[in-house]
Amino acid sequence: MAVKGLGQLDQEYDGSKLRVGIVHARWNRVIIDALVKGAVDRLLSMGVKEDNIIVETVPGSFELPWGSKRFVDAQKAKGAPLDVVIPIGVLIKGSTMHFEYISDSTTQALMNLQDKVQIPVIFGLLTCLTEEQAMARAGIDAGKTMHNHGEDWGAAAVEMAAKFGPNAF
Ligand code: RBF
């Protein structure tokens, strides 16, 4: 039995009044698409309305912090503020130092983004040593050895918005 992962939530959450943003990178697209689908499916299963899931893309993971910031700002300016945002990216180690620099700087920036946008930011960034590791974590490796981590991100988004989002108290 798998013990890793989010597992069961601590209570049932109602996502029916939440607006959720997904900003995803387009590098490693097959894996990204599976993760985004996992997140969207979980959001829908927790009651989030399809119309309230807004998806935008950026080129690569390095663009996620700024893209997410502007996306959150733009939705607010339109009068339809988000309750939570899920940036999604897949970084796969190559033969240079790029992976280390982008993984570290993007992670730090996404963490700090929460103070800037004042809504929860979910950490939807895979930082994998191999393509196989990334595919397993998106639930699309041949042996289906792991679950789709996008599902965990969808569940975390609804929980964080419901408990600690801008309309939670
Ligand atoms: N972006 C990703 O989202 N995942 C990657 O695995 C990834 N690897 C990269 C490797 C190299 C050598 C370079 C130059 C860029 C890579 N990027 C990757 C793109 C990066 O996040 C960004 O979009 C570009 O550097 C443009 O700012």
Side-chain angles (χ1 to χ4, degrees):
M1 191 184 74
V3 292
K4 278 177 88 174
L6 184 58
Q8 273 211 317
L9 296 181
D10 58 340
Q11 63 186 72
E12 275 205 11
Y13 292 97
D14 172 19
S16 62
K17 294 195 173 60
L18 301 177
R19 251 175 97 74
V20 181
I22 294 177
V23 181
H24 70 79
R26 297 190 303 272
W27 270 66
N28 308 313
R29 191 69 198 248
V30 172
I31 304 167
I32 288 282
D33 286 349
L35 291 165
V36 171
K37 183 175 185 317
V40 168
D41 285 351
R42 192 68 196 264
L43 292 170
L44 293 172
S45 80
M46 293 177 77
V48 180
K49 307 232 164 59
E50 201 170 349
D51 286 352
N52 285 333
I53 303 173
I54 303 98
V55 180
E56 184 54 278
T57 77
V58 292
S61 295
F62 186 78
E63 283 74 43
L64 282 173
W66 180 251
S68 299
K69 161 99 176 72
R70 297 293 292 172
F71 182 64
V72 172
D73 289 348
Q75 293 292 316
K76 196 171 183 179
K78 270 185 16 188
L82 298 171
D83 293 283
V84 56
V85 64
I86 313 175
I88 294 179
V90 175
L91 287 162
I92 299 175
K93 189 170 169 61
S95 51
T96 68
M97 289 296 288
H98 247 83
F99 172 80
E100 281 78 2
Y101 286 118
I102 300 180
S103 297
D104 190 44
S105 58
T106 302
T107 300
Q108 294 291 339
L110 290 177
M111 178 60 84
N112 296 336
L113 182 62
Q114 309 193 82
D115 288 332
K116 295 182 182 149
V117 294
Q118 292 290 305
I119 63 171
V121 175
I122 303 305
F123 186 55
L125 186 65
L126 292 184
T127 58
C128 296
L129 302 179
T130 65
E131 202 174 287
E132 290 68 36
Q133 284 184 351
M135 289 176 76
R137 283 153 184 78
I140 54 169
D141 60 328
K144 284 229 167 225
T145 52
M146 297 179 87
H147 70 283
N148 183 335
H149 285 41
E151 294 168 10
D152 294 345
W153 304 336
V158 173
E159 176 176 342
M160 287 300 288
K163 269 187 190 162
F164 306 115
N167 299 309
F169 314 113

